[in-house]
């Protein structure tokens, strides 16, 4: 069983910054893609950013230049630094990753962490 534990969410004023962390634990032989999604109230869950095991990144257009995703492979942890936050960045942020459990590749999701940006 693999668990993802997220931290770092909270309430911040517009223009502020937050750093999210997500640590994976359990039976993990390897991790390929890691990423962050967010879900605003009443909306679908959307991709925010991804990072491959070689460090290649991809971002949703609305966060380019403001957010930065990174990972620490030794710690099975992915981070999301969010700068110049806007009220429209408000939502529940979920981390996700693809991992090899020794037999097959699977997906895992965190429980979500709330980010609220006040205007």
């Amino acid at each position: 069983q693999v668990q993802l534990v997220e931290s770092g969410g909270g309430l911040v004023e517009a223009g502020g910054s937050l750093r999210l962390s997500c640590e994976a634990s359990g039976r993990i032989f390897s991790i390929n893609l890691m990423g962050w999604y967010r879900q605003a109230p009443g909306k679908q869950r959307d991709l925010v950013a991804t990072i491959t095991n070689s460090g290649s990144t991809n971002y949703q257009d609305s966060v380019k230049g403001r957010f930065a995703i990174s990972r620490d492979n030794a710690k099975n942890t992915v981070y999301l630094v969010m700068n110049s936050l806007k009220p429209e960045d408000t939502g529940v942020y979920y981390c996700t990753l693809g991992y090899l459990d020794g037999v097959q590749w699977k997906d895992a999701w965190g429980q979500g962490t709330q980010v609220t940006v006040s205007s």
Side-chain angles (χ1 to χ4, degrees):
Q1 190 79 4
V2 170
Q3 292 185 327
L4 275 59
V5 178
E6 299 155 346
S7 60
L11 173 64
V12 65
E13 292 184 349
S17 299
L18 285 173
R19 181 178 185 250
L20 306 182
S21 300
C22 174
E23 181 177 6
S25 62
R27 185 176 174 83
I28 298 173
F29 279 69
S30 181
I31 298 174
N32 50 19
L33 193 68
M34 306 180 85
W36 290 92
Y37 283 69
R38 70 184 176 194
Q39 188 166 19
K43 296 188 177 181
Q44 67 181 17
R45 190 175 298 186
D46 291 329
L47 176 69
V48 175
T50 60
I51 183 168
T52 68
N53 54 9
S54 62
S56 296
T57 58
N58 181 55
Y59 296 94
Q60 181 190 105
D61 285 345
S62 67
V63 307
K64 286 180 179 178
R66 300 188 297 121
F67 291 11
I69 188 171
S70 61
R71 61 192 283 171
D72 184 333
N73 292 328
K75 297 180 179 180
N76 289 341
T77 299
V78 61
Y79 305 95
L80 186 69
V81 174
M82 305 183 293
N83 296 316
S84 302
L85 282 161
K86 304 175 181 180
E88 51 263 43
D89 294 319
T90 293
V92 179
Y93 283 69
Y94 298 90
C95 66
T96 184
L97 56 84
Y99 70 97
L100 179 64
D101 68 357
V103 176
Q104 59 184 336
W105 288 94
K106 298 179 179 177
D107 293 331
W109 288 85
Q111 80 285 356
T113 185
Q114 177 70 45
V115 171
T116 303
V117 184
S118 63
S119 57

